[in-house]
Amino acid sequence: MKPLVVVGDSMLDVDIEGAADRLSPEAPVPVVDVEHRWTRPGGAGLAAALAARSVAEVSLVTAIADDHDGRVLTHLLDQDARVVPMPLRGQTVRKTRVRAAGQSLLRLDTGDGTADGGSVSTAVIRALRAAGAILVADYGRGVAAHPEIRSLLTELARSVPVVWDPHPRGPAPTPGASLVSPNLKEARQFAPGYVEPDELAKVLRDEWAADSVVVTTGPNGAVLANGKRLTVVPVPAEIRIAGHVGSDTCGAGDRFASAATAALFDGSTVADAVSHAVHAAARFVAAGGAATLSTCDGAAVAVEDTTEACDAFEVAARVRARGGRLVATGGCFDLLHPGHVSLLRQARAMGDALVVCLNSDASVRRLKGPRRPIVTARDRARLLIALSSVDAVVVFDESSPSALLERLRPDVWVKGGDYAGVDLPEAAVIRGYGGQIALIPTVRGYSTTQLVAATQGCG
């Protein structure tokens, strides 16, 4: 099968998260105590990672620099796509968001890289000619403006679907694109003097000589100008209910464009592709946005086993890409016993994947006392992941998994029935994004505390 090819400017996205509960004595600004650091591909790289959740094979034509951030970015990109590099002049672009309590406090942009304007390689030409569909994810850094690439895109638009996600600092889409997808703010910049989405969609369709233009309008869905027909595509009511005010919309445009391209790749009409993309983007935002594709950094202090943490978020992303139901549960799971196994098996039956949020050794000590845990976090994780009911394990260091759940955002959070009537500290987080809490009856006669006491009694 031919690959879906993403063409555009990639960058490195970094999220630094922590607690901000005091002001600096030097200036009236919040002090952030860093707890987590996460990295992910941004720009066209994010679009490629999202496309990989929808199709079997993705190629990414993008400009890459041989610097530290470029090597980190390349490693992240290689997990989802076959990277076909172009040279980058300057440094890799990195966008760093500083966040606390789920809210962005500051964004720091570094790097001045732009795509080199010289002749493109044979590998780039071959990658584009092999495409079954093409997504141009333009971030104004020169890839979409490259003359040879533009000439190829104009030619290929006659035979394969081309979706163009434009940028105000980038060039106009090449003629003949199947679908161009500016958001409302961008559309108003492209067509000054026009305000309403329907007017903008029609004007831009004619100006760009595109088959169709869709103007995305955030929580209101999208307006599609397809030929002479105008169609309003709303966000499904059930997804709007599941979402919440303050959702992180980072990456929503990339999710929309990648989903639309994947649908056209599979043979959908433009109207059906847009409807599918509206649904996919809304689910993506409701589930946590681009943060769900982040990889834990080795410098993160709150996650003891980074490999397991990364696997957990990858599992979550795959489940959401399929429209599935993610279930999570948490605890110490020290001395795994039949009660644990029963809870995990029932929890897994509630959805399409189960992630276990496991208390670190330090967290267990705070909760259970200095003689616990009996089994280290690494070995507890290994035992859990060996169970057929468990799809991934992520270790957290706090006494409560609230911060982890804010990022993971499972559809269902499962606890044992012994927590009935207990005010769970993570409950506000779960209910805040529209998740559910389920209690499963415990198996009588089994607890780690009882097992430890029995063992000591036999000594």
Side-chain angles (χ1 to χ4, degrees):
M1 178 180 285
K2 293 184 175 183
L4 187 156
V5 178
V6 179
V7 183
D9 313 291
S10 296
M11 57 200 69
L12 180 64
D13 282 356
V14 179
D15 280 356
I16 296 174
E17 291 198 348
D21 52 13
R22 68 188 193 279
L23 294 178
S24 168
E26 293 89 4
V29 295
V31 175
V32 178
D33 294 315
V34 176
E35 298 170 345
H36 310 268
R37 187 177 186 275
W38 309 86
T39 57
R40 63 177 174 273
L46 177 60
L50 290 166
R53 270 66 182 171
S54 303
V55 301
E57 185 178 354
V58 175
S59 296
L60 172 62
V61 176
T62 193
I64 299 286
D66 186 19
D67 54 22
H68 176 267
D69 285 344
R71 289 187 287 274
V72 172
L73 177 58
T74 299
H75 173 72
L76 294 170
L77 293 172
D78 283 339
Q79 299 176 31
D80 295 297
R82 182 178 76 91
V83 179
V84 185
M86 296 171 57
L88 185 79
R89 292 180 300 181
Q91 296 179 320
T92 299
V93 175
R94 182 178 69 190
K95 297 184 176 181
T96 303
R97 297 192 303 171
V98 180
R99 294 167 58 82
Q103 299 294 320
S104 291
L105 303 180
L106 177 69
R107 197 181 92 179
L108 305 173
D109 290 3
T110 58
D112 57 354
T114 57
D116 190 286
S119 296
V120 298
S121 67
T122 302
V124 169
I125 296 171
R126 287 177 178 170
L128 286 168
R129 290 197 178 281
I134 298 172
L135 167 58
V136 181
D138 183 22
Y139 276 79
R141 292 283 174 171
V143 173
H146 194 288
E148 286 184 66
I149 288 180
R150 292 182 66 79
S151 178
L152 268 171
L153 290 172
T154 302
E155 174 192 338
L156 293 170
R158 304 186 189 107
S159 56
V160 299
V162 174
V163 175
W164 196 296
D165 189 9
H167 193 280
R169 291 198 304 268
T174 54
S178 302
L179 182 67
V180 185
S181 59
N183 63 38
L184 183 57
K185 181 179 178 181
E186 292 167 342
R188 287 171 176 166
Q189 290 178 270
F190 293 130
Y194 296 90
V195 176
E196 297 303 321
D198 54 348
E199 294 178 323
L200 290 162
K202 289 188 294 184
V203 167
L204 292 173
R205 180 199 60 206
D206 295 340
E207 181 178 328
W208 289 332
D211 291 348
S212 304
V213 168
V214 60
V215 177
T216 58
T217 56
N220 295 320
V223 176
L224 170 66
N226 184 7
K228 294 183 179 180
R229 184 176 181 182
L230 275 172
T231 306
V232 177
V233 184
V235 174
E238 65 272 16
I239 299 178
R240 294 223 300 265
I241 292 171
H244 70 290
V245 175
S247 293
D248 187 358
T249 60
C250 179
D254 293 301
R255 184 64 190 121
F256 180 94
S258 65
T261 309
L264 292 174
F265 178 81
D266 289 337
S268 295
T269 64
V270 169
D272 287 343
V274 168
S275 179
H276 170 71
V278 167
H279 285 63
R283 288 196 303 268
F284 178 69
V285 171
T292 59
L293 278 77
S294 297
T295 297
C296 46
D297 190 290
V301 297
V303 179
E304 292 192 348
D305 192 321
T306 58
T307 301
E308 290 160 358
C310 295
D311 288 346
F313 287 101
E314 289 170 5
V315 166
R318 287 196 296 270
V319 170
R320 292 188 176 103
R322 298 193 302 265
R325 185 178 174 90
L326 180 67
V327 182
T329 190
C332 302
F333 294 95
D334 196 17
L335 293 185
L336 196 65
H337 55 67
H340 290 145
V341 174
S342 174
L343 180 142
L344 295 168
R345 178 178 52 79
Q346 293 181 69
R348 178 61 176 80
M350 293 181 175
D352 300 287
L354 174 64
V355 172
V356 176
C357 302
L358 184 67
N359 290 77
S360 71
D361 293 344
S363 177
V364 174
R365 281 192 290 273
R366 288 196 299 271
L367 293 170
K368 304 291 186 180
R371 295 187 178 182
R372 300 280 297 275
I374 297 167
V375 180
T376 66
R378 183 175 293 273
D379 287 340
R380 285 183 282 131
R382 287 173 176 169
L383 289 169
L384 287 166
I385 204 66
L387 299 175
S388 60
S389 56
V390 177
D391 295 277
V393 178
V394 57
V395 180
F396 65 95
D397 199 43
E398 300 89 350
S399 298
S400 161
S402 297
L404 175 60
L405 291 172
E406 178 66 45
R407 181 171 290 274
L408 189 65
R409 297 197 172 196
D411 299 290
V412 184
W413 174 243
V414 173
K415 296 294 288 183
D418 51 335
Y419 283 90
V422 176
D423 186 16
L424 297 172
E426 65 270 23
V429 170
I430 300 294
R431 297 191 178 104
Y433 65 77
Q436 299 176 350
I437 298 174
L439 300 180
I440 291 178
T442 55
V443 178
R444 289 186 178 183
Y446 290 103
S447 77
T448 300
T449 301
Q450 291 174 345
L451 289 174
V452 172
T455 301
Q456 293 172 340
C458 291

